[in-house]
Amino acid sequence: MTDLSSTERLIGQLFGDAARTERHDNLIIGEAPFDGQVLAVLGTVDQTYIGADAALAMARAVLDVMRDHPGRAILIIVDNSGHRLGRWDELVANNGCVAHLTKCLDLARRRGHRVIGLVNELAVSAGFMALGMSTDACYALPQAEVRVMALNAMSRVTKIPLDRLEELCKTSPVLGPGVRNFVRVGALRGVWEDDPAEELRRALADNPGEEDMRQMLALERGGRTQAQAITHMVRAGLEA
Amino acid sequence: MSIARHSFLEATARARLAGILDTGSFREFCGPGARRTSPHLKELGMPVAFDDGVAVGEGRIEGRPVLVAAQEGGFMGGAVGEIHGAKIAGLIERALDTRPDGVVLLLDSGGVRLHEANAGLIGMGEIQRRVFDARHAGIPFIVAIGGRNGCYGGTSIVARSCDWIIGSEQGRLSISGPEVIEAVEGIEEFDAQDKALVWRTMGLKHRRLLKEADYLVADDMAAFREAILSCLGKSRPLDLDALEQEHAALSTRIERFRDCADARDIWSRLGINAPERIPELEADEFNSLIEALEGKAP
């Protein structure tokens, strides 16, 4: 008997023992009945890295849902350390595989599947882009972490001293890791503070529709105060 | 021997636009005159740019209307921050209103700008969402890669979300930068100083051989312009059948090259007799080889 991953425990919390999911390496693929409908469930475990294999395996699962269960809602449980850093993954073009996964998730949205993301432990950079940001609404558990890069690595690359970065992070939502910051910049729709099953029920009922609301949320939440105005300016063809 | 080439690699973003577009046709939106600089870089006490490192606008190629974005690799490595990303997002939204013959993205970027990382990352997601919106509305997206920064990180995912990719052999297209792989996984995994390794793993010749890119051109403005022109008005499908086909191709690739440790192993398996010669081939020789490999009449 192996220890259950946090993703599997979360599936238990959400669906009891009614979930029919299987674990393949660091992926969880399956379905679960919920409030009289069946949801497709797709997740990763143990803060896995998204390499070409994982990206394609998840894309396969999304394509299967589109083909076999038109309209079925898809819950993506996100737990990753970002894309895999390795020579082989670059040789076979991991960026193309990750882009393919995002195309599949995006097409599912457009074909009427609700695609809901939930970061349960960690989402890093391209791993968040590949999974969380391609959904029609992405949420996070309160204890989860979302980041582009850990602060000490960011300090090395930007040559900004770590203590200064830490100071700046106290006020700036655009710089540092953290679920609250990603809520403020509009990348997360919200945090699931309550019972996850109740939160899932609410998320399924709250259909954000076709339009991308993230710039608007970012403005309301003070996380990105300029993005929406700039986008409107360019869309209108204004020179200055 | 070609003469009087106008290098794409050496040019600034605006010089590239001048080289790609019909003379005098470019009209910039939210340009330097608007002085919309990054509030986040200012907060950090860092230099800002009046265009935040990207020029966006409309113009013509052989008289045909296009929307264009050109990243300025000389500013913050072309990295995407809040303003930079929002300009590209707005440009793509405009495509839904004006329906140009193509949206042309001259990408030259290391990815997300770490100094405003969260805003840059969500900006990438917003750009990508809008690319898909516009592609589903039948507007073609054409990416050109041939600058010093290559096309890395989130920008590499955006590039592969578009219809067509054109690049010179100086261009690189990959998700991870060589330095990042070396820093995290060690020099045994990737020696970032080994330029030949970088180019044959991430360079556009390898990407063209894998069919990750569509056209390999010389480092010449006119060659880029001609290749972009040939893509205008041509959309690729993005429906379930198209994604199933893409899936089959990618799955076949990763199995076929599962045991390959170096791009030369892949090239050899593709049927190339002298893989060690690939890096030295001029664009036209390389394209003749591609035609022979892919079974087209030269």
Side-chain angles (χ1 to χ4, degrees):
Chain A
M1 185 80 197
T2 52
D3 285 344
L4 283 184
S5 64
S6 65
T7 299
E8 289 160 299
R9 287 199 303 275
L10 178 63
I11 289 169
Q13 260 184 300
L14 287 168
F15 308 112
D17 53 13
R20 297 179 291 272
T21 57
E22 281 186 46
R23 181 167 169 174
H24 309 269
D25 296 324
N26 283 332
L27 302 186
I28 307 271
I29 297 171
E31 59 184 38
F34 188 80
D35 287 356
Q37 59 176 313
V38 176
L39 306 186
V41 178
L42 177 58
T44 48
V45 304
D46 295 342
Q47 308 191 347
T48 193
Y49 287 90
I50 310 296
D53 284 303
L56 291 186
M58 283 187 277
R60 181 69 262 160
V62 177
L63 289 166
D64 288 345
V65 174
M66 280 193 269
R67 192 191 54 215
D68 298 337
H69 305 287
R72 179 178 278 188
I74 304 172
L75 174 66
I76 312 277
I77 301 178
V78 181
D79 181 21
N80 68 67
S81 301
H83 62 275
R84 181 178 294 288
L85 296 169
R87 189 204 288 218
W88 183 80
D89 288 281
E90 297 304 335
L91 265 182
V92 299
N94 196 18
N95 68 303
C97 298
V98 169
H100 173 67
L101 170 58
T102 61
K103 287 173 204 170
C104 293
L105 289 167
D106 184 84
L107 184 65
R109 291 177 46 247
R110 286 172 207 274
R111 289 167 63 96
H113 297 259
R114 292 297 312 284
V115 181
I116 293 172
L118 175 61
V119 183
N120 74 325
E121 270 198 40
L122 178 65
V124 178
S125 206
F128 186 53
M129 186 167 170
L131 293 156
M133 280 156 48
S134 308
T135 58
D136 46 26
C138 189
Y139 301 86
L141 294 179
Q143 70 276 15
E145 166 89 331
V146 182
R147 66 174 180 243
V148 171
M149 190 180 270
L151 272 191
N152 52 1
M154 198 182 273
S155 167
R156 281 200 303 277
V157 179
T158 61
K159 302 186 171 61
I160 301 170
L162 184 58
D163 52 354
R164 174 143 161 75
L165 270 185
E166 283 168 346
E167 192 61 34
L168 288 161
C169 284
K170 288 180 188 159
T171 52
S172 168
V174 303
L175 198 56
V179 162
R180 304 285 154 199
N181 286 342
F182 279 82
V183 169
R184 286 187 68 192
V185 300
L188 290 170
R189 197 165 174 84
V191 179
W192 285 11
E193 307 272 6
D194 294 344
D195 170 56
E198 192 52 43
E199 293 276 14
L200 175 59
R201 194 163 288 122
R202 263 181 243 154
L204 286 165
D206 171 34
N207 190 339
E210 282 294 298
E211 203 170 335
D212 187 348
M213 308 296 279
R214 295 174 291 190
Q215 284 186 342
M216 196 197 72
L217 291 175
L219 183 62
E220 283 174 9
R221 296 166 178 177
R224 286 181 296 153
T225 55
Q226 305 217 14
Q228 191 179 43
I230 296 283
T231 293
H232 287 171
M233 183 179 174
V234 173
R235 181 169 191 164
L238 300 175
E239 293 182 22
Chain B
M1 173 90 187
S2 52
I3 47 161
R5 270 189 191 172
H6 183 183
S7 170
F8 186 94
L9 178 73
E10 305 288 344
T12 63
R14 285 187 174 71
R16 286 175 190 156
L17 290 172
I20 299 295
L21 298 171
D22 294 350
T23 305
S25 71
F26 182 56
R27 191 166 75 88
E28 185 167 355
F29 310 137
C30 191
R35 291 201 168 14
R36 301 301 290 256
T37 59
S38 165
H40 313 297
L41 292 177
K42 191 176 169 214
E43 178 84 20
L44 291 165
M46 299 196 56
V48 295
F50 288 145
D51 59 9
D52 204 38
V54 64
V56 301
E58 62 192 9
R60 292 184 175 271
I61 300 177
E62 293 292 316
R64 302 177 70 174
V66 292
L67 290 172
V68 286
Q71 293 182 308
E72 177 49 65
F75 179 69
M76 305 292 297
V80 176
E82 177 175 350
I83 307 279
H84 183 124
K87 285 170 76 172
I88 299 175
L91 184 82
I92 301 170
E93 287 187 10
R94 184 171 174 84
L96 293 169
D97 302 334
T98 66
R99 303 199 61 87
D101 284 4
V103 178
V104 180
L105 306 178
L106 310 182
L107 301 180
D108 189 357
S109 176
V112 167
R113 186 185 296 167
L114 289 176
H115 309 76
E116 43 190 296
N118 306 346
L121 184 62
I122 182 63
M124 292 284 188
E126 287 169 344
I127 290 167
Q128 191 188 34
R129 177 73 55 89
R130 283 158 180 75
V131 169
F132 293 142
D133 286 344
R135 283 190 62 186
H136 281 284
I139 297 159
F141 279 70
I142 302 144
V143 167
I145 302 168
R148 293 216 180 278
N149 298 287
C151 181
Y152 283 100
T155 324
S156 75
I157 304 175
V158 169
R160 281 286 280 110
S161 302
C162 295
D163 295 84
W164 307 101
I165 297 179
I166 296 160
S168 64
E169 71 169 313
Q170 289 83 355
R172 286 154 291 141
L173 173 63
S174 238
I175 192 163
S176 315
E179 293 82 8
V180 178
I181 303 176
E182 184 186 310
V184 176
E185 298 294 327
I187 198 162
E188 305 76 25
E189 182 69 23
F190 209 101
D191 179 356
Q193 296 304 313
D194 184 346
K195 294 302 171 204
L197 173 68
V198 172
W199 255 270
R200 69 178 183 268
T201 307
M202 303 172 170
L204 261 289
K205 277 183 177 167
H206 177 54
R207 295 308 182 218
R208 175 62 190 87
L209 284 162
L210 285 181
K211 300 184 181 174
E212 282 282 304
D214 303 287
Y215 297 99
L216 192 285
V217 297
D219 175 35
D220 174 26
M221 212 67 88
F224 271 95
R225 176 183 157 104
E226 189 185 335
I228 292 167
L229 178 64
S230 76
C231 297
L232 293 182
K234 293 177 191 161
S235 282
R236 283 180 144 166
L238 200 51
D239 57 12
L240 188 52
D241 286 344
L243 292 186
E244 283 285 7
Q245 281 176 26
E246 179 171 77
H247 195 85
L250 292 172
S251 302
T252 303
R253 177 197 301 166
I254 65 170
E255 291 314 325
R256 186 177 182 197
F257 305 129
R258 169 84 53 203
D259 60 339
C260 292
D262 190 284
R264 284 176 299 217
D265 304 336
I266 291 179
W267 302 342
S268 176
R269 196 159 297 173
L270 285 168
I272 295 171
N273 294 326
E276 68 286 353
R277 281 203 61 232
I278 291 287
E280 65 203 48
L281 296 180
E282 293 287 338
D284 53 354
E285 298 172 285
F286 177 83
N287 287 323
S288 300
L289 175 71
I290 290 278
E291 281 169 5
L293 276 180
E294 295 177 1
K296 292 175 217 158

